[in-house]
């Protein structure tokens, strides 16, 4: 059966409608009209060190889990981790698929296979994870983003893949 | 919200001279956050990198996405050529609040995780109370 409306879902409009139905004021989404910075990969991807940052509330067995209320901490997961130790909790999406196969939001086996076949040079030693459901853009910018930027630079990543949910 | 956060992180890293690529399944939010490079998969939220237990399809999606580091010449969102088995959009478009309560203590996937974190970090950290004097209750 085909979709009755094949266009991508407009989650900004949908959130506005959902919140209005609950009597909440509309959420003010980040609107960046200024163009982003643009950096280029100075070497082939097959020779590059790739960083992974995932925002799906992912942690490793033994780590402290994320809270669900504007948690601006992050976790570091070795990129040679046993995938069976990956956990996912989140308040805003159904984690059932991600718990069965973490690669849907934390593509660690996928990236390791791309390294093995030579498409990607290597992975940065640690993947960085956080709970992306942060409503306060101010706290995100002042507390979490500087840490993620610093760790990325410290690990010498030539490029970074980011995965939201 | 996750898509917004990732967009803002992506812009900040690129500003330091490191190229970034964001996966996205929320086109409108990513358009608004405006990261340098995004690969759009028109999938239900929670499956940004593909369907579970389909490693070959996941690998193909990621292969196409990462190629954008070498092929894109200006900022934008590129729609990858994959689709999710229809129909799923009509239900996903209903204005229903699917969020679970936003607890302010660590939320473990299972009791084993909680026990392992308590053993490694102590109950005061692993079950961080919401306020001083609160009983840890994760």
């Amino acid at each position: 059966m085909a979709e009755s409306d094949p266009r991508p879902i407009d989650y900004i409009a949908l959130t506005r409608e959902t919140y209005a139905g609950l009597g909440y004021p509309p959420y003010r989404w980040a609107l960046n009209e200024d163009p982003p910075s643009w950096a280029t990969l100075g070497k082939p991807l097959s020779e590059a060190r790739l960083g992974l940052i995932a925002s799906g509330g992912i942690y490793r067995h033994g780590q402290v889990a994320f809270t669900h209320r504007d948690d601006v901490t992050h976790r570091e997961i070795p990129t040679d981790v046993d995938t069976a130790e990956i956990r996912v909790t989140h308040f805003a999406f159904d984690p059932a698929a991600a718990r069965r196969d973490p690669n849907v939001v934390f593509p660690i086996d996928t990236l390791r296979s791309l390294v093995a076949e030579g498409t990607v040079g290597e992975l940065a030693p640690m993947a960085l994870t956080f709970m992306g459901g942060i409503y306060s853009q101010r706290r995100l910018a002042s507390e979490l983003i500087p840490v993620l930027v610093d760790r990325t630079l410290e690990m010498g990543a030539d490029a970074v893949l980011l995965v939201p949910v | 919200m996750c898509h917004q956060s990732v967009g803002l992180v992506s812009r900040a890293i690129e500003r330091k001279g490191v190229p970034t690529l964001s996966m996205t399944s929320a086109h409108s939010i990513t358009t608004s956050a405006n990261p340098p490079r995004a690969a759009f998969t028109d999938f239900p939220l929670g499956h940004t990198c593909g369907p579970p237990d389909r490693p070959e399809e996941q690998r193909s999606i990621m292969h196409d996405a990462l190629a954008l580091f070498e092929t894109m010449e200006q900022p934008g969102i590129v729609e990858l050529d994959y689709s999710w088995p229809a129909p799923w959009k009509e239900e996903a478009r209903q204005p229903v609040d699917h969020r679970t309560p936003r607890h302010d203590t660590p939320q473990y996937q299972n009791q084993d995780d909680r026990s392992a974190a308590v053993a490694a970090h102590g109950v005061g950290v692993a079950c961080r109370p919401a306020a001083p004097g609160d009983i840890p209750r994760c």
Side-chain angles (χ1 to χ4, degrees), chain A residues 1 18 20 30 34 39 41 61 83-85 97 106 111 115 125 134 156 161:
Chain A
M1 203 167 107
T18 306
D34 56 316
L41 188 58
H61 176 74
T83 310
E85 295 181 16
F106 185 71
L111 291 176
V115 169
I134 299 168
L161 172 73

Side-chain angles (χ1 to χ4, degrees), chain B residues 30-53:
Chain B
T30 299
T31 299
S32 188
N34 197 6
R37 288 173 207 77
F40 177 65
T41 48
D42 201 1
F43 299 160
L45 296 184
H47 312 83
T48 331
C49 297
D53 304 323

